[in-house]
Amino acid sequence: MPTVRLFSSDLDGTLLGNPEATRRFKFAWEALDPSARPHLAYNSGRLVDDLRRFVDDGTLPAAEFYIGGVGTQIYDVRAGAFLTAFHAHLQAGWDLALVRQIVSQFPGARAQPDEFQHEFKSSWFLERAPRGAIRELRAQLALAGLEVNVVYSSSRDLDILPRHATKGGALAWLAERLGIALDEILVAGDTGNDASMFRLPGVRGIIVENAQPELFEATVDIPIYTSRQILAEGVLDGLCHFGVVCAVPSRAEARLAADDLAPSFRQLFTGTHLGGLADSERELLRTGYARALEALKRNITPLGFSACSLADNTVTGTDANYRSVWARDGAITIWSTLQVQDPEVRAAQVRTFETLLNAVSVHGQIPANVRLDTGEPDYSGVGNIASIDSGLWVVIALYNYAARTGDLTLLYRHADRLQSVMIWLAAHDANNDGLLEIPEAGDWTDLFGRSYNVLYDEVLWFRANLCYGRILELMGQFDSAAAYLRRSQKIRARILEAFWPTTNDPSGATRPHRFADRQFALGDTQYLLAEITPFAFNWRCDTYANILAFLMNVLDVERARTAFRFMWGVGVNQPWPVANLYPVVQAGDPDWRAYYTVNLLNLPHHYHNGGIWPFIGGLWVRFIQRLGFHEVACRELVRLAQVNQLGRDREWEFNEWVHGQTGRPMGKAYQAWSAATFLHACHELDASPAPHEE
């Protein structure tokens, strides 16, 4: 391919978001030979004056060009001036006053603050635009004789721009001025307003893993490199893929020391020992990685991964269902071990998928488990209640498997079954509001009283739609893929609207009144609520679901940091990482159920009622790493290794759960997902003794 001569990248959600990852990008870019590296252009919705401060304060490396205001400004850094010829290029068919007059009368539209406006950019808030609304607005503007671009992104932000003013249009104009061909350009982005860059003929592109579904939809029919990393980590991964950057600083080199943290977080981590790991701690992680791989392999059976080692656990009575390949456990184990380069593990991943997908019911239900001894599928589980999240997890894991390995065999072999699975899952949206209605105890908390709109399930529902859209894209079914990607965007917006109450809506939008909107009496929450029904809400913090919401790109970085501050502050990682729920449900609480005492399983600080789950601990470590707190994540990884080492009968049992107060191991030994998420966390923090794969 032609040499990359111009690299154009978005900032927010692409190069910005994780300060440590941004530093890695800066170090890597500045290490390139200045005489040979591509021109660098920052291409953002921010105005140029705002873009310049990120270079002035040392956050980003110096660029040759700033493209600001969603393609309405081009600033030549070396010349120290705006390219006025470009402004003349924008004038045709543009009348700012008329644009403002028309949009101000459009239902639901509210002007953004003055700092986001300028002579060639009219910016508005339009919360969750109804189907067809943007098409109608375009028609009204055209009828008035205006030649404009209407850019709608993130289910909220509306920009009206001159016809030639898009990020892609400005980039193409600049490239022509510089004598650079389009196939010599590389771009990176994360939202719909970046789509025009990717759709320039011949341009190569990097979509970061945290990208909004709207960008996947807009690029569904063109070849794009989709990184498995988020934010600037994803940009670096893409730059390596295209041969622009070959030497990437380690995460340890770019980590923020305690003095470099923002004051609020410096205070938050007071008393937390930070700094590089000691040799003994590194040795503990190396040992832990090896023992985790051993524990994982204890769960390999002829039908796939078991939930816990059958040779090391006595199963009697209702525990006999542990002699099964569980859809949820198996899918999470696969999702968490895709970076493990081991043929036994890879073969077990495939067998797990085959076992579960071959057992899909005629209506499209993936079984809760398939018995190892008989091959019989079980579609219910405890209490004869359907396991809704089984199908969600399998779709998510299957897409990730196909994207990482490039093996599409399973997608084609089970295409009809996968379609029926998505139809069965969608049927649980009985009121057509975009969210699933979950029966009580109908997911991984199979002896815990949550129902209706449950945060954990809704996060997985969003991700399953996105992943299924990407599956269809891999199979070349672009129209169907786009439909699922659009649906996922709406689900995400619905989750944020319903589960994160706030009195500070920058768009000023009014919300439809529902009885459940009493939740807004809470004011501004600091995390996504655990559960919402038509008649009530659960204000508890589901730690697991909030962690997943960030790892699966429902939460943006700022909200994820807010949730982390709360969870860290209340000590969900004490005595070990991490409790699944805060606060626990006590007897006499309205949320208490009499059946919580069955087998003493869900007493306070037990099991699903605030027990500590090492498999969630692995996700917790990745959550912290992705927020840009590498040293804190390393410390939590060491603590996770220590709790996995404890064991009930012997060391390194990777137990199912740990008592939330005593910190002593409980549950089954050699739990597959406890070992798997520890392995994944080691890979993500570069703490794995195996060769690291981005």
Side-chain angles (χ1 to χ4, degrees), residues 3-4 53 125 127 146 165 246 287 320 426 459 467 475 495 579 598 646:
T3 300
V4 174
R53 69 182 175 88
F125 292 120
E127 192 79 16
L146 294 164
C246 298
T287 301
V459 168
C467 287
M475 298 171 67
I495 291 171
V598 173
L646 286 180

Side-chain angles (χ1 to χ4, degrees), residues 294-331:
E294 292 173 10
L296 177 69
K297 290 187 174 183
R298 288 173 185 254
N299 286 277
I300 293 178
T301 77
L303 296 185
F305 289 115
S306 57
C308 64
S309 170
L310 303 179
D312 297 287
N313 292 280
T314 302
V315 292
T316 58
T318 57
D319 275 1
N321 62 15
Y322 275 92
R323 294 192 58 80
S324 305
V325 172
W326 282 82
R328 175 192 313 115
D329 300 56

